[in-house]
Each structure stands twice: as structure tokens, then as C-alpha cells.
Amino acid sequence: VAPSAATPSAARDLARIVGAEHVIERPGREWLTDTSAARGLVGRADAVVLPGSAEQVAEVLAWCYAHGQAVVPRGGGTGYAGGAVPIDGGIVVALGRLREVRELEPSAWRMCVEAGLSTADVHRRARESGLLFAPDPGAAEQSQIGGNVATNAGGPHSFKYGVTGDWVTGLQVAVAPGELIEIGGPIRKDAAGYDLRGLFVGSEGTLGIITAVWLTLVPAPETTLPVLAFYPSVATGCAALRAVFEHGVGAAALEFFDAGTLRAAGATLPGGVPEGAGFALLAEADGAEPEARRIHGELREALGPGSLALQDGAPGALWRWRDTVSGAVTTVQGGKLSEDIVVPVDRIAEAIDGTLEIGRRHGLQACSWGHAGDGNLHSTFLLSPGDLEQLALAELAAEELFDLAIALGGSVSGEHGIGWVKGGALSRQWPPGAVRLHEAIKSSFDPAGLLNPGKKQA
Ligand SMILES: Cc1cc2nc3c(=O)[nH]c(=O)nc-3n(C[C@H](O)[C@H](O)[C@H](O)COP(=O)(O)OP(=O)(O)OC[C@H]3O[C@@H](n4cnc5c(N)ncnc54)[C@H](O)[C@@H]3O)c2cc1C
């Protein structure tokens, strides 16, 4: 795509709002991509602006609305769906300077933070007060809490604790045509109006720009005790997963890794991968010491039948390894196309096998891992960088994966959203009446269609 730059008068206007040093007139690639760069998506922007306050965000939005300029909110740029990529010019509003913790009230289990604070910093600040903010998406040092809210990010511990939106009690948002609003706040319930908070959660920058977030917290569990279980096949592993549900075991996390993933990432797994393993489950028990021990025992009992080995291991090392899995899979061939379909948990074996079958049909190496307890798979096709034919096949394979998810009663996205790369997929899964309501919501929040255009389209 041809590079673009702000006109001198636009740059002057924006500099008046945020300061000239916070306007980037010829943005480099680092502002024009996200994790979807692996599938060749690079956008173009007329300028990037970095506001220093919520009021400046609203002023920038007002300027864009008055001048008919597209606005693309940008958090940490770790999204997989191309949501933060400016597809066809306009102004990227990067939230990275809004990093203040506005309120931290440990005795009331809550905090209010600005949108640009990193997810890891939110975790750290809660931890320092003995509290837990549980949503734990993988790229926590880079992603921002505003981006997490805008994608309703999940993570391994969503199984017990829910996704980001479940922790949001209030939002400050810059809305069209350039006004700062606050909804909810330091309250734990709110049944007053339509659920506007819920609409902004997962809206991927298409309804407004989130500037601050009220979060509810919980006391941090005293102990976490993982169990790693290995199985010869998908079928035996998924039978064990079902047993955890059937026995009513309150696990905090339940992750899975198929054979291809274990081949790619197993070399660095603490304790190693036993001979013959074609599937693994990583579960965790948490709580006060006696409770965590009880659940840990129940997990071992439920996961034992059919397993090749059960290992305990240190939680820190295992979760650090878990964070490296996506990167390790990428290095097998140099690139990958990863999706995040979700299916009812009792259909997950069919989705794992189906991923491999789709890959085989297209001559692509495939594997999957993910949040087994939530039925959420990172179904992945490996790519050689620069091989456009292979990329086209992988895009086709992804379409078939969406059909599979829908046929199994699931959804095309469990946590990454629709963004740009999955545009149009929603209307395959939703009836026309639901699609109509989806579009009506967009046009009532953004009548000129300037907020992240082209994204989250049904
Ligand atoms: C290694 C790795 C592991 C990951 N693991 C997980 C995981 O386990 N679970 C999971 O859910 N995701 C995961 N992700 C995806 C990604 O990290 C999350 O989607 C994250 O929430 C994106 O946050 P971000 O700040 O990087 O947002 P960006 O990528 O910058 O933006 C994502 C979307 O949100 C919008 N947006 C960003 N900030 C704002 C704002 N302040 N106001 C309005 N809109 C905004 C953007 O316009 C875009 O549409 C992973 C990514 C990587 C690279």
C-alpha cells in the first residue's frame, strides 16, 4: 500500500492538541501492523498521535469527526485480528502515554487505571496489594488494559475467573463526535440502563476510544498447584478433560497441547515430554493451602485414567513455558496463521482432529493448543515466510475452520475478535436479525463510520 502522511494543516491541528513531539507524521511499520503481520497485513496511516490525557483523546476524536478522518485506536499492537492496523489511512490514536493508576483501593478490592497501562503492570499493582486481576492473555508485557477490554481478552485462568469484561465495572470512553463519557464506576452491580459497558467490551475500537477502566479485584490465592498430564492421543486426553467436568473439580486453568505443539515446544518443557505422548493437559488448582491441595488431589484423580504420566512441577516455570508455546510453533517453519475458534467443551476433540484434517487437505502442517476448559483452540497452520501460495491456502483453511467451529455449535472467535482479518465471518454464524442489530449498534455509536472503519464487520 502507498505510504501516506498528514497534510501540513492536519499535523498542525493535531500538534496543537497533543504537542508536536507527540505527532508522528510519517509513521513506520511498527505503527501499521499487529500480530497479523505474519499474514502480510500492513496498513497505512496519515499520522499517529499519542495523547497525554483522556481529554486530549476526546479532542483528537472531535477533530477527526469534524474533518471526516478515520480514527484507529491502538493499544500494545499484540492483537491477532488486524484490529489496530489502519487499513486505509486516517489517524492512529495510540494510548501508550495514558498509564496512570488513578485509584487503587485494596481495602475495597478495586482499581481505576488508564487505558495505556500494560496488562502486566495491572497484575503487578494488584499483586503488591495482595490482590488478583485474573485475566492473563499471553503478551501481558506488551498489551494494554484498554486493548484487553476492547478485545475482551481471555487467557488460561479465564476458565475459573472469566474474561476481561467480567472484571470491568466502569469505563471512561471518548465517543463520537468527541465527548468524554463515564459509565459505571467503583460499583459492583448496575442494572440501570442498557449495558453500554458491555457493548464497549469487545468492541475493538469501533464504538469509542477507552481512556480509563474501573476494575474489580479479588484476594490473590495463597497457593497454586499445577498438574501436567500426558496422553497417547487426543481421544484419551479429551476423555480426561471430560472427567474433570464430570467429577466437578474446580480447576483454575485447563490448557491443552496436541502432538504437533508438543513436538514444537516440548524441548523446553520443564520435566520434558514422555515417550509416546501425543497430547497434554496443564491444569492448576488454587486457593488457600488446604483447598488448593484438595483440588490438586481431585485433579490428579480425574486426569490419571488413560494418562502416560502425571507431573506436578513448579507453577512459575510451567506458566513461563506456556508463554513460549506460540513463539516455538512459529519457529518450526518461520511463520504461522493462528486462529482462535471456540466450540462447546464436549466437542473439542472433533475440533482438534478437524484442524489436522483441514491442514492435510491443503497440504499444510497444522497443530493446535489452547484453553481446553473453555473449548477455545489456537488452531494453527504453519507457513514459510514469503510463500504467498501457502498463505492463500492457509487463508482457505481458516475459512474451513470457521465452518467447522460453526458446525460444532461454536464461534469463529473465542478471544481475538473479528478485526479486519475475519471480516464477514460473523454473518455465517449469526441469523440476519442479529446481524441487523449488530450493524444498528455500530451506526448509532458512530454515525459517520469513522471509528476503526472496516473492522468487526459482520
Ligand atoms: C504471544 C501472544 C499471546 C496471546 N495470548 C492471548 C490470550 O491468551 N488471550 C487473548 O485473549 N489474547 C491473546 N493474545 C492477543 C492479544 O494480546 C490480546 O487480544 C490483547 O487484548 C490485545 O491488546 P493490545 O493492547 O495489544 O491491543 P491492540 O492489538 O493494540 O488492539 C486490539 C484491538 O483493540 C482496539 N483497541 C486497543 N486499545 C483500545 C482502546 N484504548 N480503546 C478502544 N479500542 C482499543 C484496537 O483498535 C484493536 O481493534 C495474544 C497475543 C500474543 C502476541
Side-chain angles (χ1 to χ4, degrees):
V1 208
S4 56
T7 62
S9 77
R12 242 190 339 267
D13 287 354
L14 293 167
R16 222 172 277 134
I17 301 170
V18 300
E21 68 279 29
H22 301 304
V23 178
I24 303 169
E25 290 184 52
R26 286 177 202 287
R29 189 184 157 97
E30 68 275 21
W31 299 105
L32 307 175
T33 56
D34 64 3
T35 312
S36 66
R39 38 213 300 180
L41 185 64
V42 183
R44 67 179 185 89
D46 295 297
V48 174
V49 297
L50 293 107
S53 68
E55 290 72 21
Q56 288 182 3
V57 173
E59 274 187 72
V60 170
L61 179 57
W63 183 90
C64 290
Y65 238 75
H67 292 81
Q69 280 276 2
V71 191
V72 181
R74 183 178 184 88
T78 67
Y80 271 105
V85 177
I87 297 300
D88 193 19
I91 309 300
V92 172
V93 177
L95 280 299
R97 289 179 63 221
L98 267 68
R99 286 194 299 268
E100 216 178 284
V101 176
R102 290 187 183 169
E103 316 247 4
L104 175 56
E105 296 165 290
S107 57
W109 301 0
R110 67 188 185 217
M111 70 201 291
C112 179
V113 299
E114 291 190 331
L117 194 69
S118 75
T119 316
D121 278 337
V122 174
H123 288 147
R124 278 192 280 268
R125 294 302 298 268
R127 270 272 165 200
E128 285 162 11
S129 306
L131 295 168
L132 173 74
F133 173 68
D136 53 350
E141 294 290 348
Q142 295 80 38
S143 70
Q144 299 175 2
I145 189 68
N148 298 159
V149 174
T151 54
N152 200 9
H157 290 83
S158 294
F159 179 59
K160 174 174 177 181
Y161 292 102
V163 291
T164 301
D166 297 324
W167 295 71
V168 175
T169 62
L171 290 172
Q172 185 189 50
V173 191
V175 294
E179 188 185 341
L180 211 49
I181 62 163
E182 296 205 16
I183 40 176
I187 50 175
R188 296 175 65 92
K189 281 179 169 178
D190 188 0
Y194 293 127
D195 187 6
L196 296 188
R197 183 206 59 86
L199 282 175
F200 285 114
V201 170
S203 62
E204 301 184 59
T206 61
L207 302 183
I209 309 175
I210 297 157
T211 51
V213 187
W214 273 104
L215 298 170
T216 188
L217 307 169
V218 295
E222 200 178 292
T223 309
T224 53
L225 298 171
V227 186
L228 188 57
F230 295 94
Y231 303 90
S233 64
V234 174
T236 45
C238 289
L241 173 67
R242 270 198 309 281
V244 174
F245 280 80
E246 283 159 8
H247 295 197
V249 186
L254 260 177
E255 300 282 289
F256 83 94
F257 313 91
D258 78 353
T261 308
L262 289 175
R263 269 195 305 277
T268 56
L269 177 62
V273 178
E275 187 76 24
F279 191 84
L281 286 171
L282 169 58
E284 189 172 76
D286 73 358
E289 182 79 25
E291 190 198 2
R293 293 229 165 270
R294 175 184 59 76
I295 297 170
H296 184 254
E298 289 173 3
L299 272 174
R300 288 187 65 98
E301 221 170 277
L303 294 175
S307 68
L308 296 169
L310 290 184
Q311 295 172 5
D312 291 342
L318 280 174
W319 290 113
R320 272 194 300 282
W321 171 79
R322 171 64 184 84
D323 278 347
T324 67
V325 166
S326 176
V329 171
T330 306
T331 56
V332 173
Q333 226 172 282
K336 65 173 164 53
L337 188 152
S338 238
E339 286 301 346
D340 74 314
I341 57 168
V342 59
V343 297
V345 70
D346 46 318
R347 311 294 301 266
I348 195 166
E350 292 163 82
I352 297 168
D353 289 337
T355 301
L356 296 177
E357 171 53 30
I358 291 170
R360 258 192 304 275
R361 268 207 305 279
H362 294 283
L364 297 166
Q365 224 182 303
C367 64
S368 55
W369 70 94
H371 315 304
D374 288 332
N376 188 191
L377 293 80
H378 295 309
S379 296
T380 297
F381 303 107
L382 302 188
L383 299 173
S384 305
D387 186 335
L388 295 182
E389 205 176 310
Q390 210 174 44
L391 177 62
L393 286 172
E395 300 277 7
L396 264 181
E399 294 297 318
E400 289 178 25
L401 201 61
F402 299 155
D403 289 338
L404 174 68
I406 294 164
L408 292 175
S411 170
V412 298
S413 176
E415 45 183 28
H416 298 160
I418 294 287
W420 169 259
V421 304
K422 274 180 260 187
L426 195 55
S427 28
R428 284 151 67 175
Q429 134 183 356
W430 275 10
V435 169
R436 229 173 19 248
L437 288 171
H438 189 267
E439 286 167 354
I441 288 166
K442 167 69 176 170
S443 55
S444 65
F445 277 68
D446 180 24
L450 295 173
L451 276 160
N452 215 357
K455 310 293 172 55
K456 212 171 180 70
Q457 288 196 338

